Amino acid sequence: LNQYGPRLPYLTTRLVHFVPERREREREVNAKGHTISRLVRKVHGKHHAAMMEEEPWVEFGDGATNGDETGLWSLFQEQDKYQTFQYSFGDDDIRIRLKGRKAEDGQILKSTGLTVWRASSLLCDFLYENANIVKNKSVLELGAGVGLCGILAQKIGASTVILTDGDTDTLSQMRSNVARNIDAKQKSRNITCQQLIWGRKLDEFYRQWAPNDRGFDVVMGSDIVYIEDMVEQLFETVSRLLSTESSSVFLLSFARRNVSIDLVLSCAEKYGFASKKPKEKASEGVYLFFRT
């Protein structure tokens, strides 16, 4: 801190104002997110005395901070870890602006949903070109991260969109991005963010959020398959929450990480799903899964 020594009184003064302001912004965003959630429940006609309580959960690790990032200076370094992601679709008729972590930030190793991955862009392009798949449909997104695909689904006409993630740090950022991109005075009542850990409390989630108690018309996810042990839990979750209607579909935007697509397709078949490849010779892209 030697080079910042002369500015330390100034930094300390800024710290006094910065911390309360940041906490106040977080309270405002969280309050707005919970207001949207309450409105969604009212639209669904579901008034619950007690909602599913979110549990602190970080995808990897124990959430401990790096020992080098302590003290006064870490609060200012924190701002440098974020970046703004901007997307436009069509002739700029749809614009989405998101805040997330930089891909090189170490926190991404613990909470992978805090940034935007390549397969998310692939799914967005697919959704925009095939908007009829989600238009007037109920949509559930798994591993929604910072919210890009779910927000786009809402903007192109989905009747209901529920974005989910298990990681609580990611959920906080997701809610902030939804509040930033959706006008609460217009169609915000049909989009909400909820915690969902694959394979856990699925019946409870279904009773509380599945539209008309029949499951979701569309379940989707992008870049959510990167550990082999997760694949079984993924399809267990999809099988429980996807509608049994013949037109229902699970959209999986796949990018090769540490899991082969053959393993994914094998597990899908085990749970009673047939698949349609994105392209004849391509392994990456958007796969469509239908109940058999």
Side-chain angles (χ1 to χ4, degrees):
L1 289 175
N2 289 340
Q3 59 179 314
Y4 301 102
R7 300 189 66 196
L8 191 57
Y10 168 77
L11 294 175
T12 305
T13 302
R14 290 296 299 151
L15 174 63
V16 172
H17 292 85
F18 169 74
V19 174
E21 288 173 2
R22 186 170 69 174
R23 289 176 178 168
E24 182 62 29
R25 286 197 299 272
E26 290 174 349
R27 284 195 293 269
E28 290 175 358
V29 168
N30 289 335
K32 189 171 182 181
H34 289 305
T35 298
I36 291 174
S37 297
R38 288 195 296 271
L39 288 170
V40 170
R41 294 197 297 276
K42 185 175 181 181
V43 169
H44 287 178
K46 300 185 178 183
H47 299 271
H48 298 273
M51 300 302 296
M52 291 176 65
E53 184 177 351
E54 292 181 5
E55 56 182 288
W57 191 84
V58 177
E59 188 175 7
F60 298 110
D62 58 6
T65 56
N66 187 315
D68 295 333
E69 297 178 0
T70 58
L72 173 65
W73 187 241
S74 66
L75 291 172
F76 299 95
Q77 287 180 315
E78 185 76 10
Q79 298 305 297
D80 294 332
K81 296 177 181 178
Y82 287 91
Q83 76 177 83
T84 298
F85 302 91
Q86 300 185 68
Y87 298 88
S88 61
F89 301 90
D91 296 326
D92 285 342
D93 56 328
I94 295 179
R95 294 186 180 184
I96 299 175
R97 183 182 177 91
L98 307 171
K99 185 177 180 181
R101 293 272 186 160
K102 294 179 179 178
E104 63 271 19
D105 176 31
Q107 179 66 17
I108 299 304
L109 298 177
K110 298 177 182 178
S111 303
T112 60
L114 286 172
T115 193
V116 179
W117 300 96
R118 176 164 48 93
S120 296
S121 297
L122 296 176
L123 180 55
C124 281
D125 290 340
F126 178 86
L127 289 174
Y128 189 78
E129 294 170 2
N130 302 274
N132 60 300
I133 290 181
V134 298
K135 190 171 184 178
N136 299 321
K137 302 291 182 62
S138 58
V139 177
L140 171 69
E141 184 175 9
L142 305 177
V146 292
L148 175 60
C149 300
I151 291 172
L152 178 61
Q154 192 270 351
K155 288 181 175 292
I156 60 177
S159 60
T160 301
V161 180
I162 298 184
L163 296 84
T164 68
D165 209 287
D167 188 283
T168 43
D169 290 343
T170 299
L171 275 169
S172 178
Q173 191 62 55
M174 182 198 305
R175 287 177 174 134
S176 175
N177 285 328
V178 168
R180 182 179 289 113
N181 286 275
I182 305 296
D183 187 347
K185 296 181 180 179
Q186 296 179 1
K187 296 183 178 181
S188 62
R189 290 185 295 177
N190 69 340
I191 184 169
T192 186
C193 307
Q194 300 297 326
Q195 185 180 49
L196 177 61
I197 301 174
W198 299 352
R200 293 171 56 180
K201 300 181 181 180
L202 298 181
D203 290 340
E204 186 177 353
F205 188 91
Y206 184 95
R207 288 192 300 269
Q208 186 165 311
W209 295 108
N212 303 316
D213 297 320
R214 62 176 177 80
F216 293 88
D217 300 317
V218 179
V219 176
M220 64 182 189
S222 61
D223 231 329
I224 56 176
V225 179
Y226 43 87
I227 297 178
E228 290 187 354
D229 291 344
M230 298 168 61
V231 179
E232 185 93 15
Q233 297 171 346
L234 169 62
F235 280 98
E236 177 188 357
T237 301
V238 173
S239 180
R240 180 65 184 97
L241 300 179
L242 183 66
S243 169
T244 56
E245 297 291 326
S246 59
S247 59
S248 63
V249 60
F250 170 41
L251 305 176
L252 176 64
S253 185
F254 179 82
R256 179 67 185 268
R257 302 294 180 188
N258 301 313
V259 179
S260 71
I261 190 60
D262 290 337
L263 175 63
V264 174
L265 298 178
S266 175
C267 192
E269 184 177 0
K270 173 183 174 181
Y271 278 85
F273 289 96
S275 63
K276 179 180 178 181
K277 294 183 178 181
K279 292 181 181 179
E280 189 63 30
K281 295 183 179 180
S283 62
E284 294 192 340
V286 179
Y287 285 75
L288 284 72
F289 294 88
F290 303 92
R291 292 188 185 274
T292 55

